[in-house]
Amino acid sequence: MNPLFIEIPERIETERLVLRMPRPGDGEKVNEAIRHSIHELRNWLGFAQSLPTVEETELNTREAHSKFLSREALRYLVFEKETGEFVGSSGFHNIRWEMPKVELGYWMDTRMSGKGLMTEAVGALTQFALSDLGCVRVEIQCEKENLKSRGLAERLGFDLEGILRNEDLSVDGKRLTDTYIYAKVRG
């Protein structure tokens, strides 16, 4: 089946959160979170190696909107339901619709950390992928040193399937890193 025919909700709600597709105009709010979180994000994410301008972040959110509609990638922006505060971003990339399987990524505004919000968001997206999308596999990849990301995967019951040693360069390009591969599979 052509992925364009797959009905994917633009909005998912959990007990405390609203996850929704990025829309034009979201760049300023996302950029503000990146500015407040740049020192932590810089350790793990390529886009945070230098502080993006609001315009660059707006372009990125518009591209995410387009990729959502084309089913290339399914990024959701995460907001607290009660306050409307932006929490972070999570979603599916490296989608293989023919299987189907997805890789799940996430980052959050460090001002919102410690409340279990990203664990709630990623848990909801994992359940959505395995049940509604019919995925046979949901994968999380992260660097060995990214203990927060590893902890999230482990809290949600993902299995550590393997460690790829000296598999990649750190995002700053200065050292070799090990990649931890976690997965949840259906059945």
Side-chain angles (χ1 to χ4, degrees):
M1 171 189 279
N2 186 315
L4 291 176
F5 291 114
I6 299 171
E7 291 296 323
I8 305 215
E10 295 178 6
R11 178 183 174 103
I12 297 172
E13 291 191 26
T14 69
E15 182 180 337
R16 300 181 293 163
L17 302 171
V18 171
L19 291 75
R20 71 159 172 79
M21 171 183 68
R23 296 190 297 240
D26 285 330
E28 188 172 343
K29 187 171 289 230
V30 174
N31 186 270
E32 178 187 342
I34 293 169
R35 282 195 319 268
H36 284 282
S37 309
I38 192 75
H39 296 295
E40 185 167 321
L41 297 177
R42 185 174 284 144
N43 294 322
W44 317 117
L45 299 171
F47 76 82
Q49 294 311 291
S50 62
L51 188 61
T53 65
V54 173
E55 292 77 20
E56 289 168 331
T57 306
E58 177 64 23
L59 178 60
N60 181 273
T61 58
R62 288 176 184 233
E63 289 170 345
H65 177 87
S66 176
K67 288 179 179 181
F68 192 103
L69 295 175
S70 68
R71 306 301 191 242
E72 270 181 79
L74 302 172
R75 183 187 310 172
Y76 285 89
L77 299 183
V78 181
F79 298 88
E80 268 191 316
K81 191 184 287 187
E82 190 174 299
T83 65
E85 288 293 315
F86 179 71
V87 172
S89 178
S90 184
F92 308 119
H93 56 278
N94 295 330
I95 300 171
R96 290 195 43 204
W97 290 111
E98 70 278 8
M99 290 193 60
K101 77 172 192 170
V102 295
E103 186 177 333
L104 205 158
Y106 42 89
W107 67 269
M108 72 181 305
D109 185 328
T110 55
R111 297 173 295 179
M112 303 300 285
S113 64
K115 302 177 184 178
L117 298 173
M118 193 52 68
T119 301
E120 185 175 326
V122 171
L125 288 176
T126 300
Q127 182 60 36
F128 170 71
L130 293 171
S131 59
D132 298 53
L133 290 182
C135 288
V136 297
R137 178 181 179 84
V138 178
E139 191 173 285
I140 293 174
Q141 294 188 18
C142 59
E143 280 191 29
K144 174 183 179 179
E145 293 82 15
N146 191 342
L147 300 179
K148 288 184 179 181
S149 189
R150 289 175 49 200
L152 186 148
E154 291 166 5
R155 276 191 303 282
L156 289 173
F158 277 71
D159 294 319
L160 176 61
E161 291 189 334
I163 302 167
L164 303 178
R165 296 179 5 193
N166 290 345
E167 190 267 338
D168 204 355
L169 288 174
S170 57
V171 292
D172 62 9
K174 294 180 179 178
R175 60 183 169 76
L176 289 171
T177 62
D178 296 347
T179 300
Y180 276 50
I181 299 177
Y182 291 91
K184 264 197 175 186
V185 297
R186 187 176 51 162

